[in-house]
Amino acid sequence: MSETQNWVAMGYIKGAFGVKGWLKIQPSTEYTDSLLDYPEWRLVKGKDVQIAEIEAGKAVGGELQVKFSHINDRDAAALMRGYTIEVPRESFAETEEDEFYWTDLVGMQVVNRDGVALGEVVKLMETGAHDVLVVRGEYGEKLIPFVSHFIDDVNQETRTITADWGLDY
């Protein structure tokens, strides 16, 4: 794995599970077991960075239980608590037209149809019915439903989202 890759945080290690080196993982993916699609993870905690190879894993409820090939007991597993799990953005599956990964939308600038800058996408929220952009800028925080009724265009080259959204909304 090259150092120039664009790494994306996809969850964190909650702690040890059992006595054979298994770990409890809190994924930040749409599907609990999506992280198992990546055979290697980069683990980051402060300045400590390591690559971990997945030996086995399973989804249990909203949690992931994983065994790394280099960790074989509870003590070693306990030391992994608090590490952020990252995977290379380049290994994500291609999206369909008008589909986007949340990580690609965060940081984009949002402008309305009048060309007024509403701010930057700081995160997304899942509401059940649809996803919502959380946009912060000089006009405060705006919650904009990420649906075609309000979103006119997502330009990945210019990192700009055009929305049908007034300043007084």
Side-chain angles (χ1 to χ4, degrees):
M1 295 195 175
S2 90
E3 284 303 308
T4 59
Q5 282 180 311
N6 181 13
W7 293 92
V8 179
M10 300 291 277
Y12 66 92
I13 299 174
K14 291 170 63 173
F17 176 75
V19 295
K20 296 182 179 177
W22 282 73
L23 296 154
K24 292 186 285 185
I25 308 294
Q26 183 60 57
S28 57
T29 54
E30 184 175 2
Y31 303 104
T32 303
D33 62 354
S34 294
L35 271 174
L36 296 177
D37 294 342
Y38 307 94
E40 286 187 339
W41 297 349
R42 184 168 90 158
L43 307 176
V44 180
K45 186 176 184 181
K47 293 187 187 287
D48 186 27
V49 177
Q50 47 185 288
I51 300 295
E53 185 179 317
I54 309 302
E55 184 176 303
K58 60 188 174 195
V60 179
E63 185 177 85
L64 204 54
Q65 295 172 359
V66 171
K67 169 78 175 67
F68 294 140
S69 56
H70 71 287
I71 296 182
N72 296 306
D73 63 60
R74 185 175 181 83
D75 292 340
L79 296 174
M80 301 306 297
R81 185 174 192 269
Y83 275 81
T84 298
I85 298 160
E86 297 180 343
V87 298
R89 172 62 183 90
E90 293 78 9
S91 64
F92 286 14
E94 287 294 316
T95 56
E96 299 293 321
E97 187 176 347
D98 293 332
E99 274 188 353
F100 304 92
Y101 284 107
W102 283 16
T103 189
D104 294 340
L105 298 173
V106 172
M108 284 191 168
Q109 295 301 310
V110 180
V111 297
N112 67 13
R113 287 179 172 175
D114 298 325
V116 176
L118 300 176
E120 178 181 321
V121 177
V122 293
K123 66 179 180 177
L124 282 91
M125 297 185 328
E126 189 176 355
T127 64
H130 52 262
D131 299 334
V132 174
L133 300 173
V134 179
V135 178
R136 287 198 191 120
E138 71 174 281
Y139 301 105
E141 187 171 273
K142 308 259 182 225
L143 303 176
I144 304 174
F146 193 66
V147 293
S148 60
H149 182 77
F150 296 112
I151 304 300
D152 293 337
D153 182 58
V154 176
N155 187 320
Q156 293 189 326
E157 283 76 44
T158 63
R159 307 241 340 115
T160 304
I161 298 171
T162 306
D164 182 11
W165 204 257
L167 290 178
D168 55 346
Y169 294 4

